[in-house]
Amino acid sequence: MIATEVLVVGGGLAGSVAALSAAREGAQVTLVSKAESTLKQASGLVDVLGRVDGELVADPFDAIQGLPDDHPYSVVGVDALHGGLALFDDVTGDRYRGGDRNALVPTTQGTVKPTLRYPGSVAPGIAGDGRETLLVGISTDPDFDAKRAAESLDATVPGDVRGVTVRFPRLRDDAKRTRHAKLLTESEEFRAKLVEKIAPRVDGADRVGFPAVFGEDPAFVRDELEARFDAAGAPVSVFEVPTGPPSIPGSRLRDLLRNELEDAGVELVTGVPVVDFEAEPGDTDAGDAADDADRVASVVVDRNGARVPYAPEQVVLATGGLVGEGIDSERDRVYEPIFDLHVPHPDDRYDWSAEGAFGDHAFARFGVRIDAEGRPLGENEAVAYENLRAAGAVVGGADTAMQKAASGVSLATGWRAGTRAAAESGVNNA
């Protein structure tokens, strides 16, 4: 039996924030995950609250005040969001930009995404300032049609937007984005030939946007490209346009968080799915209904076929939602598969979704419900396990994809779960 004060299950943004928050409070933390972090599939943007009732939100903190009582922000409090953002800002430093109001970030689909934090390499491309923009697509990348994206943006944002598609030199048709990134970072000849292809097409544009392939050091690549454009008589600002998976900005964020977790002393164990757990009765004499609840006594993981038990004082569940398999379903029920936590859902399966792709789908809000301390609640609204907390997409109550709020909910619930887990662990009980 491996003892630990705080055991975090799940290695995405919410799990990383929970683990780091707990470690910074002085707790001994172990983070286990069944696979590599899903952050490499994410855009690298931090959306806090971008849309409410279909309308763009400029000030997310003001809009949060009008959200329903069962929304995760309403449950854990706006102070938890501020705490999560402060931790994020400390980890990312000058690699990220953003303030208290949303910025409109152009996407490869020709839309703008309202987001509160974004990589510094994205910042020069923020929409709305009226500058003329040239988008550059790669002929071998079918996910970014620069001309089509430019046409869409040109019709919706101030300033002219044009698009061109070029063939990157020295690359095969099946080259991956990581190969583009490697050459942009390491090859001066590659950068020179790329600018040579694009400079004649700048034609008065103020900035040039590339798909997000600037490698591990995007500031260096931006500086190098801008210097070459200037030398070619086409001075411009250069920026990245966030892409879908595989996402290099997402991988950068994953690496930043992983390095910070290691520096904080968090033990990282990857490739070990949780396969079982044991519970024990709570303290029936505590006088607090939450403390009367059962406790998670042990959590068992599968390590290459061997059952390895952990004995945590506190547990944080951050395994994802329906897509991440943190929430599962059968024909007649929806549930959380590790601890069999209650997930509110309509009894009739036909009511789980609505007509239309962008309808008011019940499944989009599926997830465990939590109290203000981050503890999952049972069907009777009582705390399920007094030493278990939940964070991220496994928490329900909001359509975070539609609201552009997934990262913010992960930050808020992760910070709340991690700090409370540390407070209730041996840190303050020694």
Side-chain angles (χ1 to χ4, degrees):
M1 190 82 73
I2 303 174
T4 187
E5 289 177 343
V6 177
L7 178 70
V8 177
V9 183
L13 180 59
S16 297
V17 169
L20 189 53
S21 298
R24 289 188 171 189
E25 292 292 322
Q28 175 199 7
V29 182
T30 301
L31 187 155
V32 299
S33 60
K34 69 177 181 179
E36 287 291 337
S37 171
T38 55
L39 281 170
K40 65 182 180 181
Q41 308 300 328
S43 66
L45 304 175
V46 175
D47 305 333
V48 167
L49 185 61
R51 287 186 180 274
V52 174
D53 297 330
E55 298 295 325
L56 285 174
V57 168
D59 184 340
F61 298 103
D62 180 61
I64 284 173
Q65 308 308 315
L67 294 175
D69 291 342
D70 61 350
H71 194 286
Y73 286 148
S74 302
V75 174
V76 300
V78 72
D79 64 306
L81 176 57
H82 283 297
L85 282 167
L87 183 145
F88 181 87
D89 291 342
D90 184 66
V91 170
T92 58
D94 62 1
R95 288 177 175 263
Y96 269 71
R97 304 285 190 273
D100 293 333
R101 295 176 68 83
N102 283 325
L104 298 178
V105 176
T107 72
T108 54
Q109 303 305 307
T111 61
V112 289
K113 190 174 188 182
T115 190
L116 202 70
R117 295 289 186 274
Y118 42 91
S121 57
V122 170
I126 296 300
D129 62 6
R131 287 190 291 167
E132 184 174 340
T133 303
L134 176 68
L135 297 182
V136 177
I138 305 171
S139 61
T140 56
D141 186 350
D143 293 332
F144 183 24
D145 186 330
K147 292 183 179 180
R148 181 172 296 178
E151 288 174 1
S152 178
L153 286 167
D154 189 56
T156 56
V157 302
D160 292 338
V161 184
R162 295 180 286 112
V164 299
T165 298
V166 300
R167 183 181 180 87
F168 273 27
R170 294 174 51 189
L171 285 174
R172 299 184 344 184
D173 287 346
D174 60 351
K176 297 180 179 179
R177 288 179 185 149
T178 51
R179 179 59 176 161
H180 302 156
K182 183 177 178 65
L183 285 171
L184 276 169
T185 302
E186 298 179 359
S187 173
E188 183 176 349
E189 179 188 2
F190 180 81
R191 293 191 297 269
K193 288 185 176 180
L194 184 61
V195 171
E196 185 179 314
K197 281 176 171 279
I198 299 168
R201 308 191 189 190
V202 168
D203 193 24
D206 302 298
R207 52 190 177 182
V208 175
F210 293 85
V213 292
F214 286 2
E216 295 181 3
D217 189 357
F220 166 78
V221 174
R222 284 189 58 240
D223 288 345
E224 288 288 304
L225 292 177
E226 287 179 355
R228 290 197 172 275
F229 274 114
D230 188 53
V236 290
S237 297
V238 171
F239 66 95
E240 287 187 301
V241 182
T243 66
S247 166
I248 290 175
S251 295
R252 289 183 207 132
L253 180 56
R254 175 202 59 190
D255 294 343
L256 282 172
L257 287 166
R258 187 178 185 88
N259 291 339
E260 197 70 21
L261 288 164
E262 291 175 345
D263 289 345
V266 175
E267 181 181 2
L268 302 173
V269 186
T270 304
V272 290
V274 173
V275 294
D276 202 358
F277 81 102
E278 290 187 1
E280 62 185 14
D283 184 1
T284 57
D285 298 324
D288 185 303
D291 292 334
D292 289 349
D294 289 350
R295 289 178 54 85
V296 175
S298 67
V299 173
V300 180
V301 303
D302 182 337
R303 183 178 292 173
N304 297 323
R307 290 170 62 90
V308 180
Y310 283 83
E313 295 180 33
Q314 299 287 320
V315 181
V316 177
L317 180 69
T319 46
L322 280 169
V323 175
E325 301 180 358
I327 300 296
D328 206 345
S329 67
E330 297 172 354
R331 287 202 59 82
D332 59 348
R333 73 177 186 127
V334 184
Y335 63 100
E336 183 280 317
I338 293 178
F339 299 99
D340 196 25
L341 297 170
H342 173 62
V343 176
H345 61 277
D347 292 333
D348 190 336
R349 184 182 180 90
Y350 289 101
D351 293 332
W352 293 3
S353 60
E355 291 187 10
F358 301 102
D360 184 19
H361 301 295
F363 71 78
R365 298 185 294 276
F366 285 170
V368 303
R369 301 302 169 91
I370 59 176
D371 67 5
E373 301 288 299
R375 295 173 296 202
L377 303 174
E379 189 171 4
N380 60 356
E381 297 295 311
V383 170
Y385 298 98
E386 63 93 3
N387 64 334
L388 174 66
R389 287 170 172 79
V394 75
V395 176
D399 184 346
T400 57
M402 188 69 72
Q403 293 179 338
K404 308 300 180 188
S407 296
V409 168
S410 290
L411 291 178
T413 56
W415 183 87
R416 177 66 78 209
T419 54
R420 293 310 301 157
E424 297 295 329
S425 72
V427 174
N428 291 336
N429 297 329

